[in-house]
Amino acid sequence: MTSHSAVESRRNDGIELSGKPSSRSTLAGLLSCCVALAALTSCGTTLPATTTAANATPKACAADAGWNDPATPLRVHGNTWYVGTCGISALLVTSPEGHILIDGATPQAGGQIVDNIRTLGFEPEDVRAIVFSHEHFDHTGGLADLQAATGAPVLARAPAVDTLKRGASDRSDPQFLVLESFPAVADVRTIADDEVVKVGPLALRAVPTPGHTAGGTSWTWRSCEGDDCRQMVYADSLTAISDDVYRYSDEAAHPGYVATFRDTLARVAALRCDILVTPHPSASRLWSRIGPAASEPLADTGACRAYAQKAAERLDKRLADEAAAPAGKATP
Ligand SMILES: [Zn+2]
């Protein structure tokens, strides 16, 4: 247990996290509405100066931005906000009763994410739960700092729990030999496959998507902008990529891994999916879809299917390469 006031209650249909209503929650909610209203000019004079920054013209992120390049935080849709760096995604899903943060980016990025949350007019202390995509340092590296800043537990599917607590992967990870370690996370709680994480009116479903890592998880929820409600999907990385030793086709070493990976690809392809965001923004062409350089529609109901299809082609190619190369000589 941390010193945070969050209480966790388990019900048949999910895990609910709540906290003492923060004196700031209402303000954050108001700010949320206010920021929503606006490209604005007239949001009122009572708002903190920081809110102004959220309304300033955001700096465009390059499609090939570095992992730690700072990004201007911005709205994705409704109560879903981009708070990551230009190169690695993090999302904040907000409500007047508390927020859920998705992903922590690199060990260097935790502070940027905290600043981005504040820039949007929200308080890090109102984050009630932190979830993530997959247990690699470029997505979990900032989680320890973010837990310290928010007091919120980090929720993980079982295969990722030990990696988070250690701050290091093991040989079950295809990329084990090339992965960097990251700051260990103190308060990790296990969630079930398809569990729904609830904070106030928020309900985010943990879609199990093992393959890129064993603990990989995609997230889906509904965000509304007035009557315009969209099914949001934060689809995990689905790339078949490894160090020089690992072979996906080695059924003796990890029985069923490829079949599980294929199930994941089918699951992502079948998701109801209006707006896709991925842990690496480039994988879903995010900076062509939001922000000042956007030139393509944000919503695309075929986006998850296309994303999974591309990953399936890559997995097929990888397995063909393994079949063509003697054991131990697989190309990553
Ligand atoms: Zn990864």
Side-chain angles (χ1 to χ4, degrees), residues 134-136 138-139 175 179 212-213 237 280:
H134 67 271
E135 61 278 27
H136 281 164
D138 48 335
H139 310 288
Q175 294 185 69
L179 292 171
H212 181 72
T213 66
S237 300
H280 291 270

Side-chain angles (χ1 to χ4, degrees), residues 255-266:
Y257 199 88
V258 170
T260 299
F261 205 151
R262 290 203 187 283
D263 288 348
T264 285
L265 299 176

Side-chain angles (χ1 to χ4, degrees), residues 194-265:
D194 290 305
E195 188 147 359
V196 177
V197 174
K198 295 181 177 173
V199 169
L202 305 179
L204 275 64
R205 181 161 68 93
V207 181
T209 46
H212 181 72
T213 66
T217 305
S218 299
W219 294 91
T220 187
W221 65 98
R222 209 148 176 78
S223 276
C224 298
E225 231 169 87
D227 293 342
D228 181 13
C229 294
R230 305 290 180 133
Q231 193 65 29
M232 312 295 295
V233 176
Y234 189 67
D236 192 16
S237 300
L238 301 176
T239 14
I241 183 169
S242 78
D243 55 44
D244 285 348
V245 171
Y246 187 92
R247 290 171 70 86
Y248 284 89
S249 53
D250 187 347
E251 282 293 315
H254 38 75
Y257 199 88
V258 170
T260 299
F261 205 151
R262 290 203 187 283
D263 288 348
T264 285
L265 299 176

